[in-house]
Amino acid sequence: GENVEQHPSTLSVQEGDSAVIKCTYSDSASNYFPWYKQELGKRPQLIIDIRSNVGEKKDQRIAVTLNKTAKHFSLHITETQPEDSAVYFCAALSTGGTSYGKLTFGQGTILTVHP
Amino acid sequence: DAMVIQNPRYQVTQFGKPVTLSCSQTLNHNVMYWYQQKSSQAPKLLFHYYDKDFNNEADTPDNFQSRRPNTSFCFLDIRSPGLGDAAMYLCATRGQGNSPLHFGNGTRLTVT
């Protein structure tokens, strides 16, 4: 089955700096990669996603890159703000065999943005 | 407007007393998921349905069962809750193709 590794587990930055979170996946049949932001006690919220036919996607201060050959994808947040502080999860959607339709999450990154 | 609705938001049950968590959706999505999330951890998939096709994760305990009587509703039954089953339970849905999951607000289960 799919295995998603996420690094770092914690990330502390100053307001205005950039933050980068990296993930690797194992299943070459995975073809959809969302990123979720989760605040304490709340549900995960989709912030950006990328499909395997695209190498990069950007939405205002957030961007995601995907390297299918290397099986890794990254989240980039520029001009960070204190309200960006949360736990971020990467995920990969499997399309192969018995794992079809299964979304596997990375371990999560606790991002803290200091004012 | 809420599209994936979980009830209740908070559930307290006694050790060993069966409990059922419910999820409904207005999106007409054919895929529904149940995830368990413990504090400071990633959501862990318990089951998912592709229409009526049920997929059970290999490491989901037998104590956990699920029912999906129709497209809109899905239930998680915990037959004999233990203290280790205290967690947030998240329901999610997904439409066709490579589309995002839509999560409900979750049910936080406490076992006393």
Side-chain angles (χ1 to χ4, degrees):
Chain A
E2 176 65 276
N3 182 45
V4 179
E5 296 287 334
Q6 183 172 346
H7 299 280
S9 55
T10 60
L11 180 58
S12 184
V13 300
Q14 289 296 126
E15 183 176 2
D17 287 351
S18 295
V20 180
I21 303 171
K22 298 183 179 183
C23 289
T24 61
Y25 63 99
S26 61
D27 186 357
S28 57
S30 291
N31 60 5
Y32 173 70
F33 307 92
W35 285 88
Y36 288 88
K37 175 183 180 183
Q38 189 175 30
E39 296 175 340
L40 191 63
K42 296 188 176 181
R43 63 183 168 183
Q45 295 272 17
L46 179 74
I47 55 171
I48 196 167
D49 57 9
I50 191 166
R51 291 170 175 77
S52 58
N53 59 345
V54 175
E56 184 173 357
K57 182 177 178 180
K58 189 173 181 180
D59 182 5
Q60 299 182 348
R61 296 186 296 110
I62 296 172
V64 58
T65 59
L66 170 65
N67 183 327
K68 277 193 67 179
T69 303
K71 295 201 193 97
H72 67 70
F73 56 115
S74 301
L75 177 72
H76 305 252
I77 306 174
T78 58
E79 302 170 34
T80 54
Q81 301 165 3
E83 50 265 39
D84 294 331
S85 297
V87 182
Y88 290 80
F89 292 100
C90 63
L93 184 71
S94 300
T95 60
T98 57
S99 295
Y100 187 86
K102 175 179 174 179
L103 189 74
T104 302
F105 285 85
Q107 296 87 346
T109 296
I110 301 172
L111 174 64
T112 304
V113 181
H114 299 282
Chain B
D1 292 334
M3 296 178 288
V4 182
I5 303 163
Q6 290 189 245
N7 285 305
R9 287 294 306 276
Y10 301 93
Q11 175 74 56
V12 180
T13 191
Q14 293 177 337
F15 182 95
K17 185 175 181 181
V19 65
T20 295
L21 309 182
S22 71
C23 178
S24 63
Q25 57 140 335
T26 60
L27 298 163
N28 203 34
H29 282 170
N30 56 340
V31 192
M32 292 188 79
Y33 303 81
W34 279 106
Y35 283 89
Q36 179 193 63
Q37 187 177 27
K38 296 187 177 181
S39 182
S40 303
Q41 296 182 21
K44 177 181 179 300
L45 184 63
L46 297 173
F47 324 93
H48 74 282
Y49 284 90
Y50 197 103
D51 293 321
K52 291 189 175 182
D53 185 18
F54 175 71
N55 298 275
N56 187 38
E57 290 303 294
D59 58 354
T60 297
D62 292 340
N63 194 27
F64 290 81
Q65 304 285 323
S66 184
R67 296 170 284 135
R68 188 179 186 187
N70 53 53
T71 300
S72 301
F73 287 88
C74 196
F75 300 97
L76 174 63
D77 301 308
I78 309 177
R79 293 191 295 186
S80 182
L83 298 178
D85 297 327
M88 173 76 86
Y89 289 87
L90 292 161
C91 174
T93 71
R94 187 172 65 84
Q96 294 281 4
N98 296 335
S99 55
L101 268 66
H102 296 260
F103 282 93
N105 284 322
T107 294
R108 181 162 295 283
L109 178 68
T110 301
V111 181
T112 61

